Amino acid sequence: MSCAHCPGGGAAATDAYAYAEAPGSLAPPTLSQRGHLVVAVCLGAIGTVGFLSNLLVLALFCRFRALRTPMNLMLVSISASDLLVSVLGTPFSFAASTQGRWLLGRAGCVWYGFVNACLGIVSLISLAVLSYERYCTMMASTMASNRDYRPVLLGICFSWFYSLAWTVPPLLGWSRYGPEGPGTTCSVDWRTQTPNNISYIVCLFAFCLLLPFCVILYSYGKLLHTIRQVSSVSSAVTRRREHRVLVMVVAMVVCYLICWLPYGVTALLATFGPPNLLTPEATITPSLLAKSTVINPFIYIFMNKQVCKSHLNVF
């Protein structure tokens, strides 16, 4: 494969992509120099805001003891995984976009793909676990202990081990990690159309995207149904609470779809669609949306009254 026409191309660019050759694989599409610059600006903004917002969330939970509830501990896990994406992933794709090519070679691409896939799935599964935990708490006949951390800790451990179970196989031969989009980021190899690769992508799409989304819809759907039943015979305070929950649920579902559905659809089109179906812009845009880790803190943390009050106390 050759990328002599890329900015900074020639031998260095060719070396960056040479390892991507595999039966059924296609050369990654390329962007113009201006396109790479736009991507770099977007990645820089996403990385900076994501780092600062998630770091602020973790600082608030460390400083204010009142925030250290079992349910909020799951939010801390989500913020920690998003913060790690901003530290371990975005800077490298940002640097690659400024040069128009991947800079860290094959080992760096595999490492980048594994780490970012793992952390991304941790965030997705954690959102599903969080929704299920809230549903179970609401449906419990008695008030759950505010200091019983065991269910939440089990949920956090499940999220991380579940993610590892789906992101380690490409390191062992079931699919693989390689260049993504215009070749400035790395992820699961969506473009190699072999039975080995296709089987992994189908399973990943089903168990790491559709399944968490179904859990979220079911849990929050049942939660809203229960709140509506109670509010019909309750006070205005309860109705306001219902409205807040409804806003949070709608925001969460919409942002989940905006961030991850385009990425999943693009991956399936790259896998099952005809060659050259996707333009460079069509391949990089969903990836940028999926990297928008700045959304989680604003929805799950800053819509929390306790956290907002703590944030105001800091300033």
Side-chain angles (χ1 to χ4, degrees), residues 273-302:
N276 302 319
L277 174 64
L278 299 174
T279 64
E281 293 79 10
T283 60
I284 194 62
T285 302
S287 180
L288 290 175
L289 290 174
K291 289 178 172 62
S292 300
T293 57
V294 301
I295 291 178
N296 284 336
F298 290 107
I299 297 177
Y300 293 95
I301 305 296
F302 297 120

Side-chain angles (χ1 to χ4, degrees), residues 193-258:
Q193 298 180 343
T194 60
N196 175 282
N197 203 56
I198 290 174
S199 63
Y200 175 78
I201 291 171
V202 170
C203 291
L204 190 69
F205 184 82
F207 291 101
C208 296
L209 184 63
L210 288 182
L211 181 60
F213 184 63
C214 290
V215 171
I216 290 170
L217 282 182
Y218 173 81
S219 300
Y220 281 128
K222 298 289 286 185
L223 181 63
L224 287 176
H225 178 69
T226 302
I227 293 176
R228 286 184 178 277
Q229 286 183 324
V230 174
S231 65
S232 61
V233 292
S234 61
S235 63
V237 174
T238 303
R239 286 192 292 272
R240 286 196 297 270
R241 179 190 178 192
E242 174 196 354
H243 182 263
R244 289 198 303 271
V245 173
L246 178 61
V247 170
M248 184 198 69
V249 171
V250 171
M252 185 276 302
V253 172
V254 170
C255 290
Y256 185 102
L257 291 175
I258 291 176

Side-chain angles (χ1 to χ4, degrees), residues 41-64:
V41 171
C42 292
L43 286 171
I46 290 171
T48 301
V49 178
F51 175 81
L52 294 176
S53 60
N54 285 289
L55 185 64
L56 175 61
V57 167
L58 296 179
L60 290 175
F61 278 93
C62 290
R63 180 169 179 177
F64 296 99

Side-chain angles (χ1 to χ4, degrees), residues 58-139:
L58 296 179
L60 290 175
F61 278 93
C62 290
R63 180 169 179 177
F64 296 99
R65 185 179 297 273
L67 298 179
R68 302 173 197 169
T69 63
M71 194 61 65
N72 285 343
L73 190 61
M74 179 64 73
L75 300 176
V76 170
S77 177
I78 295 173
S79 283
S81 66
D82 290 344
L83 179 65
L84 288 174
V85 170
S86 300
V87 173
L88 301 178
T90 308
F92 301 104
S93 52
F94 169 79
S97 294
T98 61
Q99 300 299 311
R101 61 185 178 88
W102 182 251
L103 302 175
L104 301 181
R106 175 176 182 174
C109 186
V110 171
W111 174 83
Y112 177 98
F114 166 72
V115 169
N116 282 270
C118 181
L119 294 173
I121 293 176
V122 165
S123 182
L124 288 174
I125 301 302
S126 296
L127 297 180
V129 171
L130 176 64
S131 67
Y132 184 72
E133 289 283 349
R134 284 180 168 173
Y135 165 69
C136 290
T137 301
M138 177 64 70
M139 299 302 294

Side-chain angles (χ1 to χ4, degrees), residues 3-10 13 31-34 36 97-101:
C3 195
H5 57 285
C6 294
L31 287 172
S32 65
Q33 186 173 1
R34 178 176 295 180
H36 283 298
S97 294
T98 61
Q99 300 299 311
R101 61 185 178 88

